[in-house]
Amino acid sequence: HTTSSTQKLTNNYKEEINIISELNEDTPLVLDTNILLRLYCIPLNRKKQLIKFFQEKKNQLFLSHQVKKEFLRHRLKVMQEFLPWVYQDLYPFLKQPVSLEIKRFLDKPNQKQGDKILKQLKFQEELMQELIQNDEVFELIENCELLPQFTDQEYNFLNTEFSFLSQHEKKIMFPGKGDIGIKQKNQLGDYLIFHEMLKFMKEENKPIVFFTVDTSKGDWLDKQKKPHTHYLEKTLNATNNYLVIVDGTRWLEKKFKTHLDPFPLLSEQKLSANTNILTTNLFVIHSAFGKGVIKSIYDNQGKQMVCVDFEKFGEKHLLKDFCKLQIFSTLSNFTLINQHYGSLF
C-alpha cells in the first residue's frame, strides 16, 4: 500500500470507529480475558454497573474459545486473591489482610493470633464457595455465544505460523508478540483470539469491537493506544470489515465516569537500591515466606516497586491450605536465585 492509501484507510477507520464503537445493537462485542477477570478486582458497586451493562448487551456479546479457556484457567485464582479487598466494606475485618497477620504470626507465634488467622481463613473459604455458586461473571460468559471454532487443520496452521513469526519476525508487531519472553507457555493465546475474530468477521460479514485491558505490551494497540495500521489493512483485506480494538478500561471509565483500577494486593513499600539486576520471572528466597518469583517491577511516582508471588510460606503447616501470597516488599528481604520462572507454578 502507498502512503496515501494507508492514510485513506486510517481516515476511514477513524470515521468507522466512531460509529462502530458506539456499540449499537447490531455491533458484535468481543471481550478479552482481562476485561472479564477485571470484574473480580474492582469495588462491588462498579462491578454491578458493568455486569448490568454487559447483560444489556447480551445479544451482542461473543466469546472467543481461547478467552473462555483462559478465563476458566485464571478465574478462581483471581477471585481468591482479590476477595478480601473487594468485600472489605461489607466485612470490615477483612481490611487487615490475612497475609500481614500471617507475617506477624511467623515473626512471633502465639495461640491467639493463630486462632484469629484460622478463623479468617475459614470465613474467606466459606465466602469464596458462596461466590463460586453465585458468580454473575461466570453466568455472563456461559450465556455468551461463542465465535466459530477452528478445525484441527486451521489450528495446526496457526500454531506453525505463530512459531515461525516468533522465531523470525523481529520488526513487525503481531498479536501475541508481547508475550514472547514473558510467558513460558500459552504464548499463542492472543494470536488465536485474533484469528477467531477474523473467521467470524469473514463468515458473518460483520465488524467486531474488541475490548481489552492488555494494551501495555503493544501487540493489540500501539503506545499511543492507536491501532496498528497493518492490522487494519490485513483485516480489511481478509474480511472486508473493520476490527475495532479498544482499550476497554478507558472506554468503560469514560462511559460510567469512574475509574476501574483493580485493588492493590497489598500496601506497597519502597524498594531498596541497586534494582538494575532485577528482571521479572527471577526466583527469590524470603526468610519468612520461602521461595517466590518476581512478577512485576514498576515505577510508582518515582519509586521503583517489586511484586513477588509466593507458592508456599516457608515450613509453617498453618498455611499449607491457604492460597498463594503476593506481596510488595524491599529487595533487602530477598536472596536472588539464579533460576528462571518455569518450574515453580
Side-chain angles (χ1 to χ4, degrees):
H1 289 273
T2 64
T3 304
S4 59
S5 63
T6 299
Q7 185 63 45
K8 182 178 180 182
L9 174 72
T10 305
N11 290 338
N12 288 342
Y13 181 84
K14 288 178 181 177
E15 295 174 10
E16 286 290 319
I17 194 173
N18 290 331
I19 299 170
I20 297 170
S21 63
E22 287 298 318
L23 291 180
N24 62 55
E25 58 188 29
D26 297 324
T27 306
L29 172 62
V30 177
L31 304 179
D32 200 358
T33 313
N34 44 55
I35 288 283
L36 294 168
L37 293 176
R38 180 64 63 93
L39 296 173
Y40 295 123
C41 311
I42 58 177
L44 288 174
N45 60 333
R46 292 171 197 156
K47 177 182 177 180
K48 290 182 183 299
Q49 277 185 307
L50 296 189
I51 290 287
K52 182 175 183 293
F53 171 74
F54 289 136
Q55 286 172 340
E56 290 170 352
K57 299 289 184 183
K58 63 182 179 181
N59 293 331
Q60 298 169 245
L61 277 182
F62 289 82
L63 201 65
S64 152
H65 291 268
Q66 180 64 26
V67 165
K68 186 171 184 178
K69 186 186 300 183
E70 292 175 3
F71 171 79
L72 294 175
R73 186 191 308 138
H74 296 293
R75 168 183 172 241
L76 296 182
K77 172 181 176 289
V78 174
M79 287 177 73
Q80 196 165 36
E81 285 182 343
F82 283 89
L83 178 146
W85 285 264
V86 173
Y87 289 90
Q88 62 186 1
D89 288 339
L90 289 177
Y91 307 104
F93 61 88
L94 293 179
K95 290 182 179 180
Q96 182 68 11
V98 72
S99 50
L100 293 183
E101 297 287 350
I102 289 167
K103 186 179 187 306
R104 293 191 185 100
F105 178 85
L106 293 174
D107 291 339
K108 191 177 181 180
N110 68 80
Q111 186 66 42
K112 184 177 180 180
Q113 188 78 359
D115 290 344
K116 180 181 178 182
I117 291 170
L118 288 174
K119 183 179 179 181
Q120 184 165 337
L121 292 176
K122 183 179 179 182
F123 176 83
Q124 289 183 197
E125 180 59 29
E126 290 173 351
L127 179 58
M128 179 75 175
Q129 292 305 316
E130 181 183 336
L131 297 175
I132 290 171
Q133 296 299 319
N134 301 281
D135 185 359
E136 292 178 301
V137 184
F138 182 79
E139 185 179 337
L140 180 72
I141 73 151
E142 283 295 287
N143 292 323
C144 282
E145 189 172 343
L146 290 169
L147 296 176
Q149 197 161 14
F150 294 128
T151 64
D152 290 343
Q153 184 178 6
E154 288 171 332
Y155 176 85
N156 291 334
F157 171 81
L158 292 171
N159 192 18
T160 302
E161 187 174 58
F162 182 80
S163 297
F164 178 84
L165 290 171
S166 300
Q167 295 173 33
H168 301 288
E169 185 52 72
K170 305 302 181 185
K171 294 182 179 180
I172 299 176
M173 187 59 74
F174 55 88
K177 188 174 184 178
D179 290 324
I180 299 171
I182 297 176
K183 293 183 179 179
Q184 297 299 311
K185 53 184 179 180
N186 303 315
Q187 296 176 347
L188 183 63
D190 285 349
Y191 202 68
L192 294 177
I193 294 168
F194 179 76
H195 284 88
E196 280 189 67
M197 292 190 288
L198 260 60
K199 185 174 183 178
F200 171 90
M201 293 163 65
K202 178 71 173 177
E203 292 180 358
E204 301 297 325
N205 192 28
K206 290 182 178 180
I208 275 180
V209 174
F210 178 56
F211 271 17
T212 183
V213 178
D214 205 0
T215 59
S216 60
K217 297 181 303 180
D219 55 356
W220 282 121
L221 299 170
D222 64 20
K223 292 180 179 179
Q224 285 73 44
K225 311 296 185 185
K226 295 178 181 178
H228 297 287
T229 303
H230 62 285
Y231 283 22
L232 306 184
E233 293 174 341
K234 292 183 181 300
T235 303
L236 194 58
N237 288 337
T239 70
N240 201 34
N241 281 288
Y242 285 101
L243 173 59
V244 181
I245 303 171
V246 177
D247 182 338
T249 304
R250 293 173 68 187
W251 193 96
L252 291 165
E253 285 178 341
K254 184 177 179 181
K255 178 175 179 62
F256 292 106
K257 296 179 175 59
T258 186
H259 72 83
L260 299 173
D261 295 330
F263 284 100
L265 283 178
L266 263 184
S267 59
E268 300 169 357
Q269 301 175 31
K270 185 178 180 181
L271 186 67
S272 62
N274 195 20
T275 58
N276 59 335
I277 60 171
L278 292 182
T279 62
T280 55
N281 301 331
L282 282 180
F283 282 119
V284 292
I285 287 286
H286 188 281
S287 57
F289 300 118
K291 192 176 184 181
V293 64
I294 296 175
K295 300 301 293 182
S296 63
I297 303 166
Y298 65 97
D299 185 80
N300 181 24
Q301 297 180 345
K303 297 177 182 179
Q304 197 167 21
M305 314 298 299
V306 64
C307 176
V308 179
D309 268 0
F310 292 93
E311 183 70 2
K312 299 177 180 177
F313 308 97
E315 302 300 322
K316 306 296 181 179
H317 64 86
L318 171 69
L319 309 169
K320 66 180 181 180
D321 295 324
F322 186 56
C323 65
K324 184 170 61 181
L325 172 70
Q326 185 177 78
I327 69 169
F328 296 85
S329 190
T330 61
L331 180 60
S332 59
N333 288 332
F334 300 109
T335 303
L336 286 170
I337 307 174
N338 188 22
Q339 182 182 11
H340 283 273
Y341 176 60
S343 61
L344 182 59
F345 305 122

